[in-house]
Amino acid sequence: MSTPLLRRFSFLERITHWVVGVTFVVLLLSGLAFAYPSLFWLTTFLGGGAAARVLHPQIGALFGVGIVVMFVLWIRDMFLDARDREWLGAIRHYVAHDSEKVPPAGKYNAGQKLFFWVQSLLGIVFVASGLVLWFPEYFSAGLLNTARLLHYAATLGGGLFLIVHVYLGTVAYPGTARGMIDGKVTPAWARLHHPRWSGDRVDH
Amino acid sequence: MPDTLSIKRVSASSSALIPLESLRSGGPVYSKLVDISKCIGCKGCEVACKEWNDLKVEQTTNFGSFQSHKDLTPNTWLLMRFNEVEDGDDLNWIIKKDACLHCEEPGCLFACPAPGAIVQYQNGIVDFNQDNCIGCQYCVSGCPFDIPRFDKETKTVAKCNMCIDRVESGLEPACVKTCPTNAIEWGIKEDMLAQADKKVERLKQRGYEHAALYNPGGVGGTHMMYVVPHGDRLEDYELPAHPTASPGQLRGLNFLQRIGSYLFGFGIISALVHFLAVGPEIPDENG
C-alpha cells in the first residue's frame, strides 16, 4: 500500500535551486583556489588559473540570476510570524531533535526563513563585490581591495551555510533532499518537520 | 661579474610571507637612483626601454605636453611624466621618470593569488612571469604606485622588469645606460644611498631646503629611489607620501582567510559531532 506523496517544490523551484547550488559549489571551490595558494590546484577543474579567472565571474553571473529568481519565487513564504518567533525561542529543542517541544513550523521553519534572508543578503554582497572584481579597470585600488575583503567575508558566511544546509538536508533529516529531486515528500516527513504545512495539505 | 639570480619571494607561496634566505648570502642588492633635479626630459630612457625590451610601439598624439604617452601601458613600462606646478609666482616644471619602483616589500606580489606569477629576486628586482599570470589584476590594486598595466589581448599584466636580463649579465638597465646626464644611476643599494645623501646635501646648498631622498619605509624601501628637490611636496611628483605594501583591507582579508580555514573545518566537525550526538531524525512512516 503506498501513501500519496505531497508535492513540495515545483520544477521551476527545483531547477533554480540546483542552478544556484551547483554554481555556488563551483564558485566556492574556484574562489578558495584564489584565496588559498595551497588550494590553487582546484583551478585545474576549470582548466587552469587563467581559465578559472575568466569562468569564475561568468558562472557567478549565472549564480546571480539564480539568486534573483529564487528570491522572487520564495519571498512570499519567508516573512516571520509570531509562531516562528516561538520556534526560534525553542531552537535548542530543534537542534536536539526533541520534536515534541518544537513549535509547529509552516512550509518553512524560522531557521529556513532566516537562512533565506541571510543568503539573499550574501547574494547581494557576492554579486556587487564580484562585479567590481570582474572589471577591475573601472574601479579604484581602494574599492577593489574592499571588494576583495567583502567577497571573501561573504564566502565565509556562504561556505558555512552550505555545510549546514547540506548536512540538515541530507543526513540529519532523511527525506528532505527528495523535495529538491522529484519535488515530493512523504506525509510523515511533512507531519514531523512542517506540521502546519502538512495540515494545510491534508485539509484540502 | 655576472650575478646569479637567487629568488627571494614567489607570489602565492610560503615565501610571500617569509622571504627565502639567499643560499649565497651577501650577494649584491641593487638600486636605481633617479635624480629628478638632473633630468632634462630627453626621453632617451623611454626609447632605450622600448628597444631593449622589444616593446610594441604605440601611436601617440599631442595632448599639449612634452609627455609622449598619456599613461603607462602594457607596452610602455617607462614614462617621463611632465607636470607644470605653480609655485607662488613661479612655475615648477617637473619631469619624473615613472616606472616600477621595485619595492623591498612588494604590494603586487603580496596581493597576487597565482603561484609564481610574481617573483622577487635577492638582488631587489621584482619581475612578473606572464606564463603564470591569471589576469585577475589584483597586483594592480595591490601596488601603491599604480604601476602594473593589464594587457587586454594577452590577459596578463606587465611592468618594468629592471632589465633583469641585462642585470643578470652584469650590465646596468637600458635606461641607465642611455641617460646622457647621469640623472639615472645604478649600483649597489648602499652605494646609491650614500650617493643620494651627497645629492640631497648639494641641493640643500643650492637653496632646495626640503630636498629629500624618496625611499619610502612603508614598502620597506625601493630599488628605484628618487632624489626630489621639493621633498615637502611629494604630491607634485605624484609620489605617495605614505605608500603601504599591505593596505588595511588586505590585512583584514588575510586575517579573515586565516580564521576562515579554521571556521570551515569547525563547521564540518560540528556537523559530524551533531550527527554522532543526536543522529538522524527519521519520520515514522507508519505513524
Side-chain angles (χ1 to χ4, degrees):
Chain A
M1 194 188 93
S2 66
T3 45
L5 296 168
L6 301 179
R7 184 178 156 84
R8 186 158 167 83
F9 293 113
S10 71
F11 175 69
L12 181 62
E13 287 174 309
R14 280 176 280 147
I15 197 91
T16 307
H17 169 269
W18 286 113
V19 166
V20 171
V22 171
T23 53
F24 185 74
V25 170
V26 175
L27 289 167
L28 182 66
L29 293 179
S30 54
L32 289 177
F34 298 139
Y36 297 99
S38 54
L39 295 178
F40 191 77
W41 58 272
L42 285 169
T43 59
T44 305
F45 298 115
L46 289 182
R53 190 299 182 220
V54 172
L55 289 173
H56 183 95
Q58 294 180 358
I59 298 167
L62 189 59
F63 168 81
V65 171
I67 283 280
V68 170
V69 176
M70 212 178 221
F71 188 79
V72 172
L73 282 176
W74 289 344
I75 183 171
R76 233 177 320 141
D77 293 324
M78 293 299 175
F79 296 100
L80 277 85
D81 57 27
R83 314 271 299 268
D84 287 322
R85 276 183 276 278
E86 285 172 36
W87 188 98
L88 282 176
I91 193 158
R92 70 204 144 83
H93 299 305
Y94 172 80
V95 173
H97 290 181
D98 249 342
S99 42
E100 293 90 55
K101 293 186 194 156
V102 180
K107 179 164 186 186
Y108 302 106
N109 66 40
Q112 289 171 311
K113 290 181 180 180
L114 289 178
F115 189 100
F116 171 86
W117 291 109
V118 177
Q119 178 224 259
S120 301
L121 181 73
L122 290 176
I124 293 169
V125 176
F126 271 129
V127 172
S129 58
L131 278 172
V132 171
L133 297 170
W134 195 356
F135 304 106
E137 49 271 52
Y138 301 111
F139 302 98
S140 71
L143 185 62
L144 279 158
N145 290 335
T146 305
R148 284 188 68 184
L149 177 64
L150 291 177
H151 209 71
Y152 182 81
T155 306
L156 251 188
L160 286 174
F161 263 35
L162 179 74
I163 294 167
V164 174
H165 180 69
V166 171
Y167 169 66
L168 294 182
T170 56
V171 288
Y173 301 121
T176 306
R178 184 169 177 186
M180 269 304 163
I181 297 168
D182 64 4
K184 294 177 182 119
V185 291
T186 64
W189 179 91
R191 275 196 300 279
L192 176 62
H193 298 302
H194 300 276
R196 280 197 279 150
W197 176 69
S198 79
D200 289 352
R201 307 285 301 197
V202 171
D203 291 347
H204 291 118
Chain B
M1 271 276 284
D3 302 301
T4 309
L5 293 170
S6 348
I7 287 168
K8 182 169 192 172
R9 287 189 176 98
V10 177
S11 60
S13 81
S14 57
S15 66
L17 303 172
I18 304 158
L20 300 164
E21 294 286 330
S22 175
L23 290 176
R24 277 171 289 174
S25 56
V29 176
Y30 294 112
S31 182
K32 261 188 232 174
L33 182 62
V34 179
D35 185 346
I36 291 179
S37 70
K38 277 178 87 176
C39 175
I40 57 170
C42 71
K43 296 178 272 193
C45 51
E46 276 189 26
V47 177
C49 176
K50 283 256 179 196
E51 286 200 328
W52 180 263
N53 293 299
D54 208 8
L55 299 172
K56 257 185 260 174
V57 173
E58 293 157 315
Q59 181 70 53
T60 57
T61 49
N62 186 338
F63 56 96
S65 165
F66 275 94
Q67 194 169 315
S68 60
H69 305 65
K70 276 213 153 151
D71 196 10
L72 293 167
T73 76
N75 289 300
T76 300
W77 295 350
L78 193 181
L79 177 64
M80 299 308 292
R81 291 191 186 271
F82 291 68
N83 277 320
E84 291 163 24
V85 180
E86 280 179 43
D87 184 3
D89 291 336
D90 222 349
L91 185 73
N92 215 343
W93 199 26
I94 290 171
I95 309 167
K96 189 196 93 174
K97 175 181 189 281
D98 195 20
C100 177
L101 281 81
H102 297 270
C103 304
E104 181 60 24
E105 286 163 19
C108 58
L109 189 150
F110 298 151
C112 176
I118 304 180
V119 178
Q120 183 186 35
Y121 295 93
Q122 296 283 351
N123 65 16
I125 295 178
V126 178
D127 193 14
F128 284 6
N129 181 354
Q130 279 80 12
D131 284 352
N132 294 331
C133 176
I134 64 171
C136 67
Q137 301 165 64
Y138 286 179
C139 56
V140 178
S141 49
C143 172
F145 302 104
D146 186 26
I147 296 296
R149 289 292 180 272
F150 182 63
D151 188 331
K152 287 197 166 78
E153 281 172 35
T154 63
K155 299 244 190 304
T156 57
V157 181
K159 67 160 190 73
C160 158
N161 64 4
M162 198 75 111
C163 290
I164 189 165
D165 46 350
R166 291 176 58 89
V167 174
E168 185 186 16
S169 306
L171 300 169
E172 67 280 68
C175 57
V176 180
K177 175 81 175 174
T178 206
C179 181
T181 63
N182 263 349
I184 319 173
E185 289 184 61
W186 172 255
I188 304 295
K189 176 150 183 178
E190 276 176 40
D191 298 347
M192 291 297 106
L193 285 169
Q195 180 78 335
D197 284 346
K198 277 191 241 163
K199 284 173 178 286
V200 168
E201 201 44 51
R202 231 173 294 149
L203 278 169
K204 282 184 175 163
Q205 283 165 11
R206 279 171 54 195
Y208 294 96
E209 50 182 326
H210 297 292
L213 170 69
Y214 189 75
N215 178 34
V219 293
T222 58
H223 294 271
M224 176 169 80
M225 306 183 290
Y226 295 97
V227 171
V228 281
H230 301 283
D232 54 335
R233 297 207 312 254
L234 287 173
E235 63 280 4
D236 290 357
Y237 302 92
E238 294 172 317
L239 290 171
H242 303 288
T244 171
S246 45
Q249 301 99 319
L250 295 189
R251 277 205 306 277
L253 175 66
N254 285 344
F255 173 72
L256 275 191
Q257 284 175 342
R258 218 168 309 154
I259 62 167
S261 45
Y262 290 105
L263 277 179
F264 286 133
F266 175 76
I268 292 167
I269 291 167
S270 302
L272 272 171
V273 169
H274 181 261
F275 187 72
L276 293 176
V278 297
E281 193 172 25
I282 301 163
D284 181 4
E285 295 295 341
N286 305 314

